[in-house]
PDB file of all heavy atoms in Angstrom:
ATOM      1  N   GLU A 272      65.386 -35.139  -3.574  1.00  0.00           N
ATOM      2  CA  GLU A 272      66.178 -34.248  -2.715  1.00  0.00           C
ATOM      3  C   GLU A 272      66.876 -35.006  -1.587  1.00  0.00           C
ATOM      4  O   GLU A 272      67.397 -34.396  -0.661  1.00  0.00           O
ATOM      5  CB  GLU A 272      65.301 -33.117  -2.166  1.00  0.00           C
ATOM      6  CG  GLU A 272      63.896 -33.541  -1.741  1.00  0.00           C
ATOM      7  CD  GLU A 272      63.798 -33.843  -0.283  1.00  0.00           C
ATOM      8  OE1 GLU A 272      64.455 -33.154   0.493  1.00  0.00           O
ATOM      9  OE2 GLU A 272      63.059 -34.766   0.080  1.00  0.00           O
ATOM     10  N   ARG A 273      66.918 -36.329  -1.675  1.00  0.00           N
ATOM     11  CA  ARG A 273      67.704 -37.157  -0.756  1.00  0.00           C
ATOM     12  C   ARG A 273      68.396 -38.244  -1.567  1.00  0.00           C
ATOM     13  O   ARG A 273      67.875 -38.681  -2.590  1.00  0.00           O
ATOM     14  CB  ARG A 273      66.807 -37.797   0.318  1.00  0.00           C
ATOM     15  CG  ARG A 273      66.254 -36.815   1.328  1.00  0.00           C
ATOM     16  CD  ARG A 273      65.512 -37.556   2.450  1.00  0.00           C
ATOM     17  NE  ARG A 273      64.445 -38.391   1.927  1.00  0.00           N
ATOM     18  CZ  ARG A 273      63.210 -37.951   1.695  1.00  0.00           C
ATOM     19  NH1 ARG A 273      62.907 -36.691   1.914  1.00  0.00           N
ATOM     20  NH2 ARG A 273      62.286 -38.776   1.224  1.00  0.00           N
ATOM     21  N   LYS A 274      69.558 -38.671  -1.083  1.00  0.00           N
ATOM     22  CA  LYS A 274      70.323 -39.702  -1.774  1.00  0.00           C
ATOM     23  C   LYS A 274      70.414 -40.942  -0.905  1.00  0.00           C
ATOM     24  O   LYS A 274      70.416 -40.836   0.335  1.00  0.00           O
ATOM     25  CB  LYS A 274      71.726 -39.184  -2.115  1.00  0.00           C
ATOM     26  CG  LYS A 274      71.728 -38.018  -3.080  1.00  0.00           C
ATOM     27  CD  LYS A 274      73.139 -37.582  -3.423  1.00  0.00           C
ATOM     28  CE  LYS A 274      73.132 -36.401  -4.404  1.00  0.00           C
ATOM     29  NZ  LYS A 274      74.489 -35.961  -4.757  1.00  0.00           N
ATOM     30  N   PRO A 275      70.484 -42.128  -1.527  1.00  0.00           N
ATOM     31  CA  PRO A 275      70.561 -43.374  -0.744  1.00  0.00           C
ATOM     32  C   PRO A 275      71.786 -43.380   0.173  1.00  0.00           C
ATOM     33  O   PRO A 275      72.880 -42.957  -0.218  1.00  0.00           O
ATOM     34  CB  PRO A 275      70.663 -44.460  -1.823  1.00  0.00           C
ATOM     35  CG  PRO A 275      70.104 -43.843  -3.054  1.00  0.00           C
ATOM     36  CD  PRO A 275      70.430 -42.387  -2.969  1.00  0.00           C
ATOM     37  N   LEU A 276      71.558 -43.854   1.391  1.00  0.00           N
ATOM     38  CA  LEU A 276      72.627 -44.010   2.381  1.00  0.00           C
ATOM     39  C   LEU A 276      73.328 -42.687   2.708  1.00  0.00           C
ATOM     40  O   LEU A 276      74.491 -42.662   3.093  1.00  0.00           O
ATOM     41  CB  LEU A 276      73.662 -45.036   1.899  1.00  0.00           C
ATOM     42  CG  LEU A 276      73.101 -46.424   1.514  1.00  0.00           C
ATOM     43  CD1 LEU A 276      74.205 -47.300   0.983  1.00  0.00           C
ATOM     44  CD2 LEU A 276      72.395 -47.066   2.690  1.00  0.00           C
ATOM     45  N   ARG A 277      72.618 -41.576   2.526  1.00  0.00           N
ATOM     46  CA  ARG A 277      73.151 -40.266   2.878  1.00  0.00           C
ATOM     47  C   ARG A 277      72.207 -39.597   3.864  1.00  0.00           C
ATOM     48  O   ARG A 277      70.988 -39.769   3.795  1.00  0.00           O
ATOM     49  CB  ARG A 277      73.287 -39.377   1.637  1.00  0.00           C
ATOM     50  CG  ARG A 277      74.175 -39.957   0.547  1.00  0.00           C
ATOM     51  CD  ARG A 277      75.645 -39.756   0.865  1.00  0.00           C
ATOM     52  NE  ARG A 277      76.476 -40.169  -0.271  1.00  0.00           N
ATOM     53  CZ  ARG A 277      76.842 -39.358  -1.250  1.00  0.00           C
ATOM     54  NH1 ARG A 277      76.450 -38.102  -1.249  1.00  0.00           N
ATOM     55  NH2 ARG A 277      77.610 -39.804  -2.225  1.00  0.00           N
ATOM     56  N   LEU A 278      72.753 -38.809   4.760  1.00  0.00           N
ATOM     57  CA  LEU A 278      71.946 -38.071   5.722  1.00  0.00           C
ATOM     58  C   LEU A 278      71.705 -36.660   5.199  1.00  0.00           C
ATOM     59  O   LEU A 278      72.531 -36.088   4.502  1.00  0.00           O
ATOM     60  CB  LEU A 278      72.641 -38.017   7.090  1.00  0.00           C
ATOM     61  CG  LEU A 278      72.857 -39.364   7.791  1.00  0.00           C
ATOM     62  CD1 LEU A 278      73.634 -39.158   9.080  1.00  0.00           C
ATOM     63  CD2 LEU A 278      71.520 -40.048   8.060  1.00  0.00           C
ATOM     64  N   GLY A 279      70.558 -36.094   5.608  1.00  0.00           N
ATOM     65  CA  GLY A 279      70.258 -34.719   5.234  1.00  0.00           C
ATOM     66  C   GLY A 279      69.643 -34.606   3.851  1.00  0.00           C
ATOM     67  O   GLY A 279      69.488 -35.582   3.116  1.00  0.00           O
ATOM     68  N   ARG A 280      69.280 -33.371   3.514  1.00  0.00           N
ATOM     69  CA  ARG A 280      68.657 -33.074   2.223  1.00  0.00           C
ATOM     70  C   ARG A 280      69.654 -32.384   1.312  1.00  0.00           C
ATOM     71  O   ARG A 280      70.473 -31.591   1.754  1.00  0.00           O
ATOM     72  CB  ARG A 280      67.412 -32.192   2.421  1.00  0.00           C
ATOM     73  CG  ARG A 280      66.314 -32.886   3.222  1.00  0.00           C
ATOM     74  CD  ARG A 280      65.144 -31.964   3.478  1.00  0.00           C
ATOM     75  NE  ARG A 280      64.121 -32.618   4.277  1.00  0.00           N
ATOM     76  CZ  ARG A 280      63.081 -33.273   3.780  1.00  0.00           C
ATOM     77  NH1 ARG A 280      62.937 -33.347   2.467  1.00  0.00           N
ATOM     78  NH2 ARG A 280      62.193 -33.840   4.569  1.00  0.00           N
ATOM     79  N   PHE A 281      69.528 -32.661   0.016  1.00  0.00           N
ATOM     80  CA  PHE A 281      70.405 -32.077  -0.991  1.00  0.00           C
ATOM     81  C   PHE A 281      69.582 -31.129  -1.862  1.00  0.00           C
ATOM     82  O   PHE A 281      68.344 -31.170  -1.842  1.00  0.00           O
ATOM     83  CB  PHE A 281      71.032 -33.181  -1.839  1.00  0.00           C
ATOM     84  CG  PHE A 281      72.002 -34.042  -1.077  1.00  0.00           C
ATOM     85  CD1 PHE A 281      71.566 -35.092  -0.273  1.00  0.00           C
ATOM     86  CD2 PHE A 281      73.371 -33.795  -1.144  1.00  0.00           C
ATOM     87  CE1 PHE A 281      72.453 -35.883   0.431  1.00  0.00           C
ATOM     88  CE2 PHE A 281      74.272 -34.580  -0.449  1.00  0.00           C
ATOM     89  CZ  PHE A 281      73.819 -35.617   0.342  1.00  0.00           C
ATOM     90  N   PRO A 282      70.237 -30.284  -2.649  1.00  0.00           N
ATOM     91  CA  PRO A 282      69.485 -29.428  -3.578  1.00  0.00           C
ATOM     92  C   PRO A 282      68.598 -30.283  -4.470  1.00  0.00           C
ATOM     93  O   PRO A 282      69.067 -31.248  -5.086  1.00  0.00           O
ATOM     94  CB  PRO A 282      70.591 -28.728  -4.384  1.00  0.00           C
ATOM     95  CG  PRO A 282      71.762 -28.714  -3.467  1.00  0.00           C
ATOM     96  CD  PRO A 282      71.676 -29.991  -2.682  1.00  0.00           C
ATOM     97  N   PRO A 283      67.314 -29.976  -4.526  1.00  0.00           N
ATOM     98  CA  PRO A 283      66.378 -30.838  -5.263  1.00  0.00           C
ATOM     99  C   PRO A 283      66.656 -30.850  -6.760  1.00  0.00           C
ATOM    100  O   PRO A 283      67.005 -29.839  -7.363  1.00  0.00           O
ATOM    101  CB  PRO A 283      65.011 -30.222  -4.959  1.00  0.00           C
ATOM    102  CG  PRO A 283      65.300 -28.814  -4.575  1.00  0.00           C
ATOM    103  CD  PRO A 283      66.639 -28.817  -3.917  1.00  0.00           C
ATOM    104  N   VAL A 284      66.503 -32.033  -7.340  1.00  0.00           N
ATOM    105  CA  VAL A 284      66.627 -32.237  -8.782  1.00  0.00           C
ATOM    106  C   VAL A 284      65.290 -32.756  -9.292  1.00  0.00           C
ATOM    107  O   VAL A 284      64.686 -33.646  -8.681  1.00  0.00           O
ATOM    108  CB  VAL A 284      67.750 -33.252  -9.105  1.00  0.00           C
ATOM    109  CG1 VAL A 284      67.816 -33.517 -10.604  1.00  0.00           C
ATOM    110  CG2 VAL A 284      69.091 -32.744  -8.595  1.00  0.00           C
ATOM    111  N   VAL A 285      64.819 -32.195 -10.390  1.00  0.00           N
ATOM    112  CA  VAL A 285      63.534 -32.594 -10.953  1.00  0.00           C
ATOM    113  C   VAL A 285      63.777 -33.424 -12.205  1.00  0.00           C
ATOM    114  O   VAL A 285      64.434 -32.969 -13.144  1.00  0.00           O
ATOM    115  CB  VAL A 285      62.660 -31.374 -11.288  1.00  0.00           C
ATOM    116  CG1 VAL A 285      61.296 -31.835 -11.820  1.00  0.00           C
ATOM    117  CG2 VAL A 285      62.478 -30.493 -10.070  1.00  0.00           C
TER     118      VAL A 285
END
Side-chain angles (χ1 to χ4, degrees):
E272 40 95 37
R273 290 187 303 273
K274 296 182 180 180
L276 305 177
R277 302 281 187 90
L278 297 176
R280 296 176 182 267
F281 292 82
V284 177
V285 182

